[in-house]
Amino acid sequence: MFDVVAQGEGPLFMDPDADKAREFFRHKNRALVSKVMTVKEAVEKFVHDGEYLAIGGFGANRIPTAVCHEILRQKRKNMIFAGHTSTHDFQILAAGGF
């Protein structure tokens, strides 16, 4: 048996109920629709104040630099940040008052 050392707070990203997931995908639109959008549109649609932001990449390699800059342009605030060996991505966000 494991002891819970730390526990998160707030709502889950998605309900873990498998039956609810099956129901969602049963009625999901299967039409081929273009999802191509600008970085500005993507941040407007998917990145909101107070959310948990996780960024991949390694150091300065393969990080979404343009997305970090756009998050700052749109003045997103009160976000929790996690990154793998966060250096340049976190520095961009911290310097911009993230």
Side-chain angles (χ1 to χ4, degrees):
M1 174 84 70
F2 293 98
D3 291 333
V4 175
V5 178
Q7 189 169 340
E9 295 179 11
L12 292 174
F13 175 69
M14 186 170 186
D15 189 331
D17 186 315
D19 289 328
K20 289 180 182 175
R22 288 183 191 100
E23 184 66 20
F24 170 80
F25 285 109
R26 190 174 294 121
H27 298 292
K28 183 179 177 190
N29 184 357
R30 304 287 181 188
L32 296 177
V33 178
S34 176
K35 296 177 183 141
V36 175
M37 62 184 76
T38 66
V39 171
K40 181 179 186 288
E41 293 167 333
V43 170
E44 285 173 355
K45 183 174 182 176
F46 296 114
V47 181
H48 307 98
D49 290 345
E51 290 184 335
Y52 187 92
L53 177 67
I55 294 180
F58 187 80
N61 301 315
R62 299 170 59 181
I63 62 166
T65 305
V67 174
C68 292
H69 284 269
E70 188 58 35
I71 288 170
L72 296 175
R73 277 188 208 100
Q74 293 186 24
K75 300 183 185 335
R76 297 295 188 251
K77 298 289 182 194
N78 302 318
M79 299 183 76
I80 299 168
F81 176 81
H84 183 262
T85 65
S86 302
T87 55
H88 295 82
D89 46 0
F90 182 70
Q91 290 172 6
I92 290 168
L93 294 169
F98 177 76

